[in-house]
Amino acid sequence: MTTTAIPTARERAEATTPKRRPKREREGAAWVFLSPWVLGASVLTLLPMAVSLYLSFTDYNLFDPPHWVGLRNYTQMFTEDPRYWRSVLTTVTYVVIAVPLQLALALVVALALKSMKRGKAFYRSAFYAPSLLGASMSIALVWRAVFNDGGTVDNLLGTGGWVNRPGWSLLAVALLTVWQFGAPMVIFLAGLQQIPAELYEAAAVDGAGRWRQFLSVTVPMLSPVLFFNLVLQTIQAFQVFTPAFAVSAGKGGPADSTLVYTMYLYDRGFVASHMGYASAMAWVLLLVIGVVTAVLFRTSRSWVFYASEGDR
Amino acid sequence: MTTTAVARKPVRWSRIALHLGCLAALLVMLYPLAWLLATSLKPADEVIASLDLLPSHLEWSNYGTAFEGVNDVSVWRLLSNSLLIAGGAVLGNVISCSLAAYAFARLRFRFRGPMFAFMIATIMLPHHAILIPQYIIFNKLGMVNTYWPLILPKFLATEAFFVFLIVQFMRGLPRELEEAARIDGCGPFRSFFQIVLPLTRPALITTAIFTFIWTWNDFFTQLIYLFDPDKFTLTLALRSFVDASSQSAFGPMFAMSVIALLPIVLFFLAFQRFLVEGMASSGLKG
């Protein structure tokens, strides 16, 4: 394998030329490697962020030039648009239901699989599969049918189709997210397997029962992974779109009960062509996600335990 | 090992209970997939009227109808559109993300720290914050209703998650090989192509598979950029089924859903080790 790396005599002679050259060459080379990323980050990320901030202070319909309106998009959003607040409430409700349920299920299954000797790999893969399939339109359509009037859930529970009941429709969407608990579960499981067995043995020697071991060893050792999952799933949940879109057949109904934030943003920007208003919504979403992440990080200092801290 | 040996008998019963619990959970989990498969083979009058999961006879004509496609566009066309987009995205991500990752993992350059921090921050950045200006840019370039907006960004390493994944992997590689090569006069380019890239193959495979599946499943970007039915992907075609879904179209609609899911299922079966381990490592090193 290393034969290709063996240099010819000429190359070896070149390598002995002044020492500084390779270093400067490396700096130049670095920018060659980085160039696609630099182009993407500036033209497709930074520039759009600046543009959308600007557009959020304008009236813009994609065809006529943007028209500066100051804070009107924001004041309209916060004070005159009940559908906006409805979408905020719907999204927060969805996040609060889906994320804890999903993570709790992921943790329980990971704990169940941890000490399993046979079949662990099989269960791990099988439980993980929905995480790959669940984002698809196919599964969203299944969900709509299963939770519709006369669908499986209606027949089983006699509740009527959840999809058509304002109080229940969002729960159907949330359950589609909970169904995809495999991804955080796999991360939990990997985290659990990294906890040194000596810690449990030491705890057992000290007379700790299984519950005590769970609280005093598993929870603190797993808290960084739990934190990672919490941040990741929360951020993703705030941006939910496809399941809400498909379960409500693209309408966010019934009675706007599944009109999540990004669906309303899509509706304002791409259906109603209020790009300025949609940009303002996008920036509020960005700020809210930033604040929520910052709060999670701040509170994490009191409950996330990083093992390396103990070395000090 | 020693801890389980302490109490062997009760453990065995709890093991069986554990397996039963897991199997029961698995049945519930897999029900939607079983339902999908069964419904795709049901005759039209049984889809809603019958409570049985299994069809009374297998209605293969649902698949025949599905293959005729939607809006006069055959499934083969939709399938190749989807494949084209996913294939382009895979190629773009693997090339651009591995290039950027090598620079971040191994090379020294100015503003490396701030740029790395920015790259990490963009992992968290909600897509919607930049969606509208991106749309405006692609609109100005005349690229709306083409596949460029779906593929081009991948060639510019915009999916920072994969850059990060590959950086983490490269950092774990031993530096000795590269250092030996450098002493022998091997520059950063040869070092990248001949030493680092071959060793990074597992991370590149993980990147390729996740990119394929995520692009295949993507709906939102396709929804805003593509209008022409003959440019539609399977996902978009399924969506237009929803708009016109009378009960009689249920069988063909779910037959097409099965066709749309099949590549992901095959990828999953073929590469499950990479997928599960890729997911696991992304969380641990973060």
Side-chain angles (χ1 to χ4, degrees), chain B residues 108-160:
Chain B
R108 308 268 155 228
F109 50 90
R110 264 184 294 169
F111 310 120
R112 183 169 179 265
M115 282 167 71
F116 188 72
F118 176 75
M119 192 272 291
I120 298 293
T122 56
I123 298 178
M124 305 278 193
L125 184 77
H127 184 50
H128 303 272
I130 51 175
L131 182 80
I132 289 166
Q134 276 190 1
Y135 185 84
I136 295 168
I137 291 171
F138 285 120
N139 190 37
K140 288 252 193 298
L141 293 172
M143 289 178 172
V144 167
N145 203 22
T146 71
Y147 296 148
W148 288 113
L150 307 172
I151 298 175
L152 196 63
K154 316 282 181 184
F155 278 89
L156 300 177
T158 47
E159 287 200 56

Side-chain angles (χ1 to χ4, degrees), chain B:
Chain B
M1 266 187 259
T2 43
T3 43
T4 49
V6 174
R8 178 148 274 176
K9 252 191 177 164
V11 164
R12 178 162 293 175
W13 279 110
S14 72
R15 283 260 140 98
I16 293 170
L18 200 62
H19 276 282
L20 286 177
C22 280
L23 283 174
L26 208 57
L27 278 181
V28 176
M29 297 266 308
L30 296 183
Y31 175 80
L33 298 178
W35 187 94
L36 171 61
L37 206 57
T39 307
S40 76
L41 290 167
K42 271 186 183 176
D45 57 323
E46 279 178 37
V47 171
I48 283 297
S50 160
L51 300 181
D52 294 333
L53 179 61
L54 295 178
S56 61
H57 67 274
L58 300 181
E59 187 69 45
W60 291 104
S61 70
N62 286 341
Y63 281 84
T65 315
F67 268 100
E68 285 165 19
V70 197
N71 311 320
D72 294 328
V73 183
S74 81
V75 156
W76 297 112
R77 183 65 190 265
L78 299 167
L79 199 65
S80 55
N81 289 348
S82 283
L83 274 174
L84 181 69
I85 295 172
V90 167
L91 201 64
N93 263 352
V94 167
I95 294 173
S96 68
C97 294
S98 62
L99 287 173
Y102 179 67
F104 281 123
R106 284 293 200 257
L107 302 177
R108 308 268 155 228
F109 50 90
R110 264 184 294 169
F111 310 120
R112 183 169 179 265
M115 282 167 71
F116 188 72
F118 176 75
M119 192 272 291
I120 298 293
T122 56
I123 298 178
M124 305 278 193
L125 184 77
H127 184 50
H128 303 272
I130 51 175
L131 182 80
I132 289 166
Q134 276 190 1
Y135 185 84
I136 295 168
I137 291 171
F138 285 120
N139 190 37
K140 288 252 193 298
L141 293 172
M143 289 178 172
V144 167
N145 203 22
T146 71
Y147 296 148
W148 288 113
L150 307 172
I151 298 175
L152 196 63
K154 316 282 181 184
F155 278 89
L156 300 177
T158 47
E159 287 200 56
F161 172 77
F162 295 116
V163 179
F164 178 66
L165 185 95
I166 302 172
V167 165
Q168 291 292 0
F169 192 88
M170 283 182 178
R171 279 180 177 162
L173 297 175
R175 282 173 173 270
E176 287 77 22
L177 273 176
E178 290 158 77
E179 273 159 19
R182 195 173 59 184
I183 290 165
D184 287 343
C186 186
F189 293 98
R190 270 186 67 184
S191 183
F192 172 70
F193 284 109
Q194 299 193 338
I195 301 171
V196 177
L197 211 52
L199 292 174
T200 313
R201 205 167 61 190
L204 299 182
I205 294 175
T206 307
T207 300
I209 302 163
F210 273 115
T211 304
F212 183 90
I213 292 175
W214 289 351
T215 314
W216 190 268
N217 280 339
D218 173 46
F219 170 63
F220 192 65
T221 341
Q222 297 175 0
L223 175 71
I224 64 172
Y225 283 115
L226 302 176
F227 317 130
D228 273 354
D230 63 328
K231 290 194 174 121
F232 272 12
T233 59
L234 276 169
T235 304
L236 285 179
L238 275 174
R239 187 253 165 151
S240 44
F241 250 131
V242 185
D243 292 344
S245 69
S246 60
Q247 303 285 355
S248 62
F250 252 43
M253 174 168 100
F254 285 112
M256 195 189 251
S257 298
V258 171
I259 298 169
L261 271 192
L262 212 56
I264 304 180
V265 173
L266 293 178
F267 258 75
F268 173 72
L269 292 177
F271 295 107
Q272 42 173 307
R273 190 172 63 87
F274 282 99
L275 289 165
V276 172
E277 274 160 23
M279 184 49 72
S281 64
S282 75
L284 285 184
K285 291 166 185 169

